[in-house]
């Protein structure tokens, strides 16, 4: 079931929550809406579900325009950030609640509930209350309830935000497997890029109510379409450069010029892993300010002559780290960079 938004806009008072948003989620895809808090991601989900209405534009599920349909008629499953389970109902009754609109018999309902609880790994917990479950288990109940009516589309609004790091990581893997098993078209909201990249087939980057870029995780990371995407995704240095006939001059460094950018006043975005540092006491162009161990990686912060702070990360046993210490001089090479015209 394709999900298509065409030129959707939504304003709340004086706040423009969505501004001419258009995209298509293909049937069977798992797509992430990624962006900072307040960027419009949850509003998109709520408009698809029919919990909010758009001021302009339309939503199609498959070939059907659903703007005038009641949420129940859209057959969309919705999983909220804070579970929204009924505290006085058992696990089984919470899941069965999603089946009420289908008016199934008791036997069919019980069979569907049992099937779903097995699918989400909660068999044997049918009679527990939500208060007797862990956060991860509650979220699995919420997923089972959303899947119970066999929705055409599954929407998840920051489904892992309330969970601790370890549980969140485990549930991500489980949700990806669940999606692969069910094949239901799914769209989830997150501001966590690791989460988006670990789960999604494609990522839609949203900022200030507009779509900045749509692509695979690799495309978003390696080919950011805008400066916002380049800054938001991954750890990056943002340097000021000047276009020359030889490339882009950044203090003592020159990097290849990006032919798609006409301006000579540039912001150059360099990922932390797209740099090489090595000790050079006589011809170095930067001074090491800090060396920080980060598990199996080492972050080196330096001051580039005439430019300012610059940082890179290396595998802990990289030969490039040999001799690098606080205060030493280093040579710097930028292996890959993206340029964007400076505004203002």
């Amino acid at each position: 079931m394709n999900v298509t938004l065409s030129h959707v806009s939504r304003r709340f008072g004086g706040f423009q929550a969505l501004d001419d948003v258009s995209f298509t989620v293909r049937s069977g895809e798992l797509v992430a809406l990624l962006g900072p808090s307040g960027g419009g991601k949850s509003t998109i989900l709520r408009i698809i579900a029919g919990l909010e209405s758009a001021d302009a534009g339309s939503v199609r599920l498959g070939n059907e325009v659903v703007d005038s349909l009641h949420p129940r008629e859209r057959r969309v499953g919705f999983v909220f950030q804070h579970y929204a389970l009924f505290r006085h109902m058992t696990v089984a009754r919470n899941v069965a609640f999603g089946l009420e609109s289908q008016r199934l018999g008791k036997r069919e309902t019980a069979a569907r509930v049992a099937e779903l609880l097995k699918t989400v790994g909660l068999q044997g917990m049918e009679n527990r209350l939500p208060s007797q479950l862990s956060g991860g288990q509650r979220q699995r109940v919420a997923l089972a309830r959303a899947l119970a009516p066999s929705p055409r589309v599954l929407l998840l609004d920051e489904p892992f935000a309330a969970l601790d790091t370890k549980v969140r990581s485990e549930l991500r893997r489980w949700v990806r497997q669940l999606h692969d098993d069910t094949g239901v078209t799914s769209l989830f909201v997150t501001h966590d890029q690791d989460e988006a990249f670990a789960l999604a087939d494609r990522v839609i980057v949203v900022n200030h109510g507009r779509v900045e870029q749509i692509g695979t995780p690799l495309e978003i990371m390696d080919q950011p379409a805008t400066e916002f995407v380049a800054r938001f995704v991954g750890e990056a240095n943002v340097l000021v450069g000047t276009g020359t006939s030889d490339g882009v001059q950044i203090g003592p460094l020159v990097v290849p010029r990006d032919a798609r950018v006409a301006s000579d006043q540039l912001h150059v975005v360099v990922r932390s892993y797209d740099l090489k540092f090595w000790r050079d006491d006589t011809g170095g162009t930067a001074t090491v300010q800090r060396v920080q161990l980060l598990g199996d990686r080492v972050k080196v912060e330096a001051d580039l002559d005439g430019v300012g702070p610059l940082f890179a990360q290396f595998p802990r046993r990289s030969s490039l780290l040999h001799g690098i210490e606080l205060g030493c001089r280093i040579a710097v090479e930028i292996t890959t960079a993206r340029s964007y015209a400076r505004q203002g």
Side-chain angles (χ1 to χ4, degrees):
M1 174 65 66
N2 288 355
V3 179
T4 302
L5 271 69
S6 300
H7 306 291
V8 169
S9 295
R10 180 68 164 102
R11 178 179 289 275
F12 295 101
F15 175 64
Q16 187 74 49
L18 297 179
D19 185 6
D20 196 29
V21 170
S22 297
F23 63 79
T24 294
V25 178
R26 297 187 288 262
S27 182
E29 271 194 308
L30 177 58
V31 170
L33 283 167
L34 173 66
S37 298
K41 306 182 300 297
S42 294
T43 301
I44 290 173
L45 243 59
R46 293 178 66 83
I47 286 175
I48 294 171
L51 302 177
E52 298 280 356
S53 58
D55 297 326
S58 66
V59 177
R60 291 202 314 274
L61 299 182
N63 296 320
E64 182 184 14
V65 176
V66 298
D67 302 324
S68 61
L69 291 185
H70 187 276
R72 189 174 298 163
E73 297 176 287
R74 299 188 185 200
R75 287 184 54 202
V76 169
F78 203 113
V79 179
F80 297 91
Q81 177 178 337
H82 294 290
Y83 323 128
L85 299 178
F86 297 107
R87 290 179 293 177
H88 65 286
M89 289 186 182
T90 63
V91 166
R93 288 189 63 203
N94 266 283
V95 176
F97 183 83
L99 293 166
E100 286 188 356
S101 62
Q102 296 184 347
R103 298 180 179 177
L104 298 177
K106 289 185 178 181
R107 185 173 297 177
E108 292 173 284
T109 298
R112 179 65 174 155
V113 169
E115 174 192 358
L116 283 163
L117 290 180
K118 182 178 180 181
T119 299
V120 301
L122 293 178
Q123 62 268 44
M125 299 187 184
E126 294 86 351
N127 295 319
R128 294 192 187 183
L129 293 171
S131 61
Q132 297 172 304
L133 303 176
S134 68
Q137 289 169 335
R138 290 180 207 173
Q139 194 60 288
R140 291 188 186 207
V141 175
L143 279 160
R145 184 177 63 185
L147 289 168
S150 300
R152 299 186 292 179
V153 176
L154 181 63
L155 306 176
L156 305 100
D157 192 359
E158 300 212 44
F160 314 119
L163 304 173
D164 63 51
T165 301
K166 186 173 186 295
V167 174
R168 190 161 63 239
S169 179
E170 292 172 352
L171 203 53
R172 284 178 196 165
R173 291 193 294 271
W174 177 82
V175 166
R176 180 69 234 196
Q177 185 60 55
L178 180 67
H179 173 267
D180 292 342
D181 291 343
T182 62
V184 63
T185 305
S186 303
L187 187 61
F188 73 97
V189 161
T190 183
H191 59 266
D192 184 332
Q193 58 190 265
D194 291 338
E195 189 168 283
F197 292 168
L199 279 175
D201 300 313
R202 287 192 301 149
V203 177
I204 302 172
V205 182
V206 179
N207 182 43
H208 292 311
R210 298 187 66 88
V211 172
E212 295 271 346
Q213 186 174 356
I214 303 173
T216 66
L218 280 178
E219 288 169 343
I220 298 295
M221 179 65 78
D222 293 342
Q223 302 168 41
T226 67
E227 184 177 340
F228 169 80
V229 176
R231 286 173 178 262
F232 184 73
V233 175
E235 286 195 298
N237 300 276
V238 182
L239 310 172
V240 175
T242 302
T244 70
S245 57
D246 297 324
V248 180
Q249 189 78 41
I250 308 169
L253 306 179
V254 177
V255 298
R257 177 147 191 171
D258 192 332
R260 67 190 173 82
V261 183
S263 174
D264 287 334
Q265 301 302 310
L266 304 167
H267 279 150
V268 181
V269 180
V270 185
R271 301 264 184 242
S272 61
Y273 50 77
D274 286 330
L275 285 153
K276 291 182 179 178
F277 290 175
W278 64 93
R279 184 159 183 160
D280 187 344
D281 293 320
T282 57
T285 55
T287 302
V288 172
Q289 301 294 321
R290 188 182 186 196
V291 179
Q292 184 180 11
L293 179 63
L294 302 173
D296 62 349
R297 302 190 66 78
V298 175
K299 182 177 182 179
V300 180
E301 299 176 15
D303 188 77
L304 182 62
D305 295 349
V307 176
L310 187 69
F311 68 91
Q313 289 194 31
F314 305 94
R316 186 177 175 185
R317 302 193 187 283
S318 171
S319 60
L320 293 172
L321 291 170
H322 181 71
I324 288 185
E325 58 189 2
L326 184 65
C328 77
R329 294 287 287 173
I330 57 172
V332 176
E333 178 185 343
I334 297 175
T335 58
T336 304
R338 298 281 290 184
S339 299
Y340 303 89
R342 289 169 61 190
Q343 303 299 316

